[in-house]
Each structure stands twice: as C-alpha cells, then as structure tokens.
Amino acid sequence: MTFELPALLVLLFAVPLLAIAYAAMERRRAGAAAAFASAPMRANIVPLPPRWRRHVPAILMLLAVASLLVGAARPGRSQVVIRTGGTIMLVIDASKSMNKTDISPSRLEAARTAGQALVDQLPESHRVGVVTFNGQARTLSAPTTDRDALTLALDSIETRWKTYLGDGILAGLANVPEGGNSVQLVVLSDGNDTGSEVPPLVAADEAVGLNVKVNTVGTGTTTGEFSSNAGLLQQIADQTDGRFFTAPSAGELESIYRGIGERASKAVERVELTQAFVGGGLLLMVAAATLSALWFRRTV
C-alpha cells in the first residue's frame, strides 16, 4: 500500500497518546470511586458494573481516529488491469538477408512465428498492423482486430534487396490512428539502414512527436556481413522511450514478442483506498456512539 500524503501518517502517533490518556483517566476514576465508597459499599451502589463494556466505545473511537488519519494520507494499492483499445504496428525487415538460416528455419519464418504469437496473445480489442521494409516500405495490413487478416499479412511477406529502416518506421507511424491510446511500434531488423529517404533517427523524432514508443529487436548474428546495427536500434528505442532487444535465436525472438504483448495488454493502475478507510472510520464512530448510548445512556 502506498500513500500520496505520507507525512500525515505522523499524526498516528496521537492514537497511542490518546490511549495512554484514556488509561490514566480510568485510573483516576477508579481512585475517585475508591475514595467515595469502600468495596463492600460499591457492590450495593453499582450491583452490575460494566467491566469490559466500559472500554469498548473508547477502543472503537481510537480505531476510528486511526482509520480516518490513514484515509487522510490518501492510501492506495497497485492493481494489474487489462488494457483495451491499444494499437501495435509490426514493422518487419523483409530484406534478402532475412532468408538466412542461422535462426531456424530462417530469420523471416522466425519473425512470422513470433509475430503470430504476439497477435494471438493480445486481447481481441487490440488492433495490430503489419508493415514490411526492404528497398520500399509496404503496409500489408492497416491496424485491425481481424486476426485472420493479420495471419494472411504475415504469411504474405516477401523479401527483396536493401534495408530502408527509416522508411519502414515512417510507414508504421503513418498507420497510427489519430488520437489512439497505447500505441507502439515493434521494429525487427537484421541489418543496417542502406539508404532510406528518411533517416532512422529522423523517423524516431516523428515517433516522439506522435507520442509513440518504438521497441526495436535486432535478430540474427551480431557480427559479420548481415549483422544488425545494435547501436542504431538502441538509439531508436532510447529516443522514443521504447526498449531494445537482441534475438539470436527463434526461441528468444518469440519470447521477446510475447513479453511485448504482455506489457501492451496489461497495465498497473493505482486503486484509491481513501473512501474505504474514511468510511470505516465513520462506521466505527457510529458504533461507538450507539453502544455508549445503549449501555450507559450517554454519548461518547
């Protein structure tokens, strides 16, 4: 449990002080009673003393004060909720190097499988789109909740020469719904940008302006002719408040996509508990006053 105004909790120290004051008052009352009459006489004056009932209203009042003070500090707790209405654009490298088989059965097939796993995991209300890029950026599916259409889009990916990463990011952003909530791009690439009309970091600036996070995934080997530019992908993710991942295997790639899907579909929200504590405090006060009136014919 967390508090928006934790400084007010210092006032809780007043509760034990009030309890001590009440105990002292009871001792003085007992002393006064002893001075007024001896023990045998008190039995005749008060044949049925209240004993433990005497203290119940006071205890309830102390609990009420504590509950009200906690409520004043604005308590709350974290709760995981399912997001609705989000949008994810899958921006997938479709250059010839994606046919390499260092990731079984190939980099492209691993990307399809991981993309399908993400689509299947998301709530039905989430929209997903598919963009590919090589020497040209193409939108294979605008954001949609139609899972069959997305499967067809993933299956239709064809590889060509070149890797225009920046143009791919820009094409993904062009599909972002206006005024949409919880929008992000998931960009997968196994190579460097080879001549985009819009440089990748400029495209990342466009994402920042649209308040869109760009998660980047570098797949395949990290060295050699067809290695991904981890530094550039990291920059893009950092610039847009996204996350960067490396996926040297099909299993790791699918795990990354599933993790992205889980974070996109769930959110942690703060649930306010102020009303519960204030309401509980007021109920305790009413109970104390009621018992005092019923048992002793007086108010607390």
Side-chain angles (χ1 to χ4, degrees):
M1 188 162 58
T2 58
F3 299 89
E4 289 190 11
L5 302 171
L8 292 180
L9 294 176
V10 175
L11 297 176
L12 285 173
F13 285 111
V15 176
L17 295 177
L18 290 173
I20 293 171
Y22 174 76
M25 184 179 68
E26 284 298 301
R27 282 196 298 271
R28 286 198 300 271
R29 179 182 293 174
F36 176 75
S38 62
M41 289 182 63
R42 285 201 302 273
N44 295 321
I45 297 172
V46 186
L48 292 174
R51 298 181 182 175
W52 60 270
R53 290 191 304 174
R54 176 198 302 277
H55 309 297
V56 172
I59 292 172
L60 291 177
M61 284 298 294
L62 288 173
L63 292 174
V65 171
S67 184
L68 291 172
L69 288 174
V70 172
R74 301 287 301 278
R77 61 180 174 82
S78 297
Q79 176 177 293
V80 176
V81 296
I82 301 299
R83 282 178 172 158
T84 58
T87 300
I88 290 182
M89 288 300 304
L90 298 177
V91 181
I92 301 173
D93 187 341
S95 59
K96 285 291 184 181
S97 59
M98 289 290 286
N99 293 323
K100 287 180 67 67
T101 58
D102 54 338
I103 293 181
S104 179
S106 72
R107 296 178 181 181
L108 181 57
E109 287 304 317
R112 282 195 182 109
T113 302
Q116 188 65 57
L118 185 149
V119 168
D120 293 341
Q121 179 184 2
L122 290 170
E124 292 183 2
S125 62
H126 264 61
R127 299 194 298 171
V128 182
V130 180
V131 166
T132 62
F133 62 93
N134 34 56
Q136 182 180 355
R138 297 177 177 83
T139 298
L140 302 184
S141 174
T144 179
T145 58
D146 186 341
R147 284 1 188 190
D148 291 335
L150 291 167
T151 298
L152 290 173
L154 290 168
D155 289 342
S156 69
I157 298 175
E158 296 181 355
T159 59
R160 292 186 173 89
W161 294 109
K162 300 181 180 179
T163 308
Y164 288 0
L165 173 60
D167 293 348
I169 294 173
L170 207 62
L173 294 175
N175 285 276
V176 170
E178 197 171 328
N181 65 321
S182 186
V183 180
Q184 58 182 305
L185 267 60
V186 180
V187 179
L188 181 142
S189 180
D190 70 346
N192 291 276
D193 186 270
T194 60
S196 292
E197 289 186 17
V198 178
L201 294 181
V202 174
D205 278 335
E206 292 286 334
V208 173
L210 293 171
N211 195 29
V212 174
K213 292 182 179 181
V214 180
N215 299 300
T216 56
V217 183
T219 188
T221 59
T222 55
T223 58
E225 183 182 1
F226 295 109
S227 61
S228 60
N229 187 336
L232 177 59
L233 294 175
Q234 177 82 67
Q235 276 185 282
I236 293 169
D238 290 345
Q239 191 168 322
T240 61
D241 199 28
R243 300 180 67 178
F244 166 66
F245 307 90
T246 56
S249 69
E252 288 181 73
L253 179 58
E254 189 168 341
S255 176
I256 289 167
Y257 270 49
R258 286 188 181 278
I260 291 172
E262 184 173 353
R263 285 188 294 274
S265 61
K266 295 178 181 179
V268 178
E269 291 186 355
R270 188 176 188 276
V271 178
E272 188 82 26
L273 300 177
T274 300
Q275 290 183 342
F277 279 94
V278 172
L282 293 176
L283 285 175
L284 287 169
M285 291 178 69
V286 170
T290 301
L291 292 177
S292 181
L294 289 175
W295 288 344
F296 313 121
R297 306 297 180 189
R298 60 180 174 81
T299 58
V300 179

